[in-house]
């Protein structure tokens, strides 16, 4: 109902019961106006429902980008500092940095697999689910099977005159840590490619006036996550060591799995022939 502001202001200043019709109508009008504004802000009405990322059936997409940024920020001290605490040589440290980025070269392969080999009728959801689960398991293996304490100050060997850090007993070897990084990166980039694929598909449905807003919003979630996680992980590693950083890397991918299950995707969609895709 439409409320005449002047009519409301000209009412006599008398006390009215809580269930006054006038107060009920005003409260309902204000509540509806607030609800509409919030709904329009979260889910822009000029966008089709499939492009409204904060709806329950789409929320896994922005969460995936946010998680990508968080994990990129959290892994920085592990790549730059933890190998030194394991006693890695300069060459081994360089190799581990390369191992971390190696799965990114498989992004085309991940996208090609999801386009051509649907699982349970879905092309994106199963691969995103497997990617984050794989990343989680790789870090859990470090938590369960290795000692993640860092060497105490002064634990150095100088047999040939060159200071060398001695890793604590039960610490992961450089090779074990590299394999875990490789598996983590494989799952990480597989899930990231699925997020990019979903956004690309949804971007085709955007109105001409707002074309590109979907991708820019998604990238802003990733940047925000990385901006928050990078300084936090550096402080956390300096304060308590790598254990809690790896614990976060194990736990965070699990939080998105229920939302991937809710993700809306057409089942048994037609798959273009491989030759046409190429």
């Amino acid at each position: 109902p439409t409320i005449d502001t002047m009519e409301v202001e000209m009412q006599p200043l008398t006390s009215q019961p809580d269930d006054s019709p006038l107060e009920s109508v005003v409260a309902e009008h204000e509540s509806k106006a607030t609800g509409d504004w919030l709904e329009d802000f979260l889910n822009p009405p000029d966008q089709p429902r499939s492009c409204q990322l904060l709806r329950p059936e789409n929320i896994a997409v922005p969460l995936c980008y946010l998680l990508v940024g968080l994990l990129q920020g959290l892994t920085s001290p592990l790549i730059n500092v933890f190998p030194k605490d394991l006693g890695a040589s300069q060459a081994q440290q360089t190799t581990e940095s390369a191992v971390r980025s190696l799965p990114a070269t498989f992004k085309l392969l991940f996208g090609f697999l999801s386009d051509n080999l649907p699982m349970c009728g879905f092309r994106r959801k199963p691969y995103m689910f497997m990617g984050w689960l794989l990343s989680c398991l790789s870090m859990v293996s470090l938590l369960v099977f290795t000692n993640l304490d860092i060497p105490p100050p002064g634990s150095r060997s100088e047999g040939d005159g060159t200071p060398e850090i001695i890793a604590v007993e039960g610490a992961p070897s450089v090779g074990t840590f590299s394999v875990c990084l490789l598996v983590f990166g494989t799952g990480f980039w597989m899930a990231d490619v699925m997020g990019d694929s979903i956004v690309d598909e949804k971007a085709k449905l955007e109105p001409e006036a707002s074309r590109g807003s979907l991708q820019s919003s998604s990238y802003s979630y990733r940047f925000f996550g990385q901006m928050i996680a990078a300084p936090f992980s550096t402080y956390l590693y300096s304060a308590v060591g790598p254990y809690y950083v790896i614990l976060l890397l194990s736990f965070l991918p699990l939080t998105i799995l229920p939302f991937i299950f809710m993700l809306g995707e057409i089942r048994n969609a037609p798959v273009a022939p491989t030759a046409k895709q190429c």
Side-chain angles (χ1 to χ4, degrees):
T2 303
I3 304 297
D4 188 341
T5 307
M6 183 61 68
E7 179 183 349
V8 174
E9 293 177 348
M10 293 303 293
Q11 295 297 322
L13 298 177
T14 57
S15 60
Q16 300 181 13
D18 293 339
D19 57 350
S20 165
L22 179 62
E23 290 187 356
S24 300
V25 171
V26 172
E28 180 183 355
H29 177 73
E30 292 178 348
S31 175
K32 185 175 185 301
T34 303
D36 288 346
W37 176 85
L38 183 60
E39 174 67 18
D40 292 346
F41 176 76
L42 296 176
N43 303 303
D46 60 329
Q47 298 276 1
R49 186 181 179 93
S50 59
C51 295
Q52 296 172 354
L53 294 182
L54 299 183
R55 290 195 176 276
E57 67 270 22
N58 300 323
I59 192 67
V61 178
L63 288 179
C64 180
Y65 277 90
L66 178 63
L67 188 57
V68 166
L70 290 172
L71 297 189
Q72 281 182 325
L74 287 171
T75 53
S76 295
L78 288 181
I79 302 301
N80 299 326
V81 182
F82 190 46
K84 298 178 182 179
D85 291 331
L86 296 178
S89 64
Q90 193 69 34
Q92 288 173 326
Q93 294 175 39
T94 304
T95 302
E96 287 185 345
S97 298
V99 166
R100 178 201 185 191
S101 58
L102 179 63
T105 62
F106 303 149
K107 293 177 70 173
L108 183 62
L109 175 62
F110 297 147
F112 190 77
L113 284 175
S114 68
D115 283 336
N116 289 272
L117 297 175
M119 300 176 64
C120 301
F122 297 108
R123 295 191 302 165
R124 312 302 183 196
K125 293 171 61 172
Y127 287 96
M128 183 183 287
F129 190 95
M130 287 193 309
W132 288 127
L133 188 61
L134 195 63
S135 295
C136 169
L137 293 178
S138 65
M139 292 294 106
V140 168
S141 64
L142 286 176
L143 289 175
V144 174
F145 299 111
T146 64
N147 181 4
L148 296 176
D149 293 334
I150 58 176
S155 56
R156 292 177 177 270
S157 172
E158 301 182 3
D160 58 351
T162 304
E164 180 182 356
I165 295 178
I166 302 177
V168 298
E169 183 178 358
S173 66
V174 175
T176 299
F177 182 62
S178 299
V179 170
C180 289
L181 279 182
L182 180 64
V183 176
F184 177 85
T186 301
F188 174 89
W189 288 112
M190 180 186 294
D192 180 64
V193 168
M194 296 307 109
D196 288 339
S197 301
I198 294 172
V199 169
D200 288 341
E201 292 171 352
K202 292 181 178 297
K204 298 176 183 178
L205 306 176
E206 284 186 294
E208 193 69 31
S210 58
R211 187 65 55 86
S213 62
L214 198 64
Q215 290 177 314
S216 60
S217 299
S218 300
Y219 294 148
S220 68
Y221 294 129
R222 182 169 63 185
F223 175 75
F224 176 77
Q226 191 171 4
M227 181 181 64
I228 295 298
F232 174 74
S233 63
T234 302
Y235 167 77
L236 190 63
Y237 190 97
S238 301
V240 295
Y243 179 85
Y244 289 99
V245 177
I246 295 179
L247 183 64
L248 284 176
L249 291 172
S250 304
F251 171 74
L252 288 176
L254 292 178
T255 60
I256 197 176
L257 299 185
F259 298 100
I260 297 176
F261 183 77
M262 296 165 50
L263 180 64
E265 183 181 0
I266 298 176
R267 191 171 188 176
N268 297 321
V271 178
T274 303
K276 184 178 180 180
Q277 292 186 32
C278 291

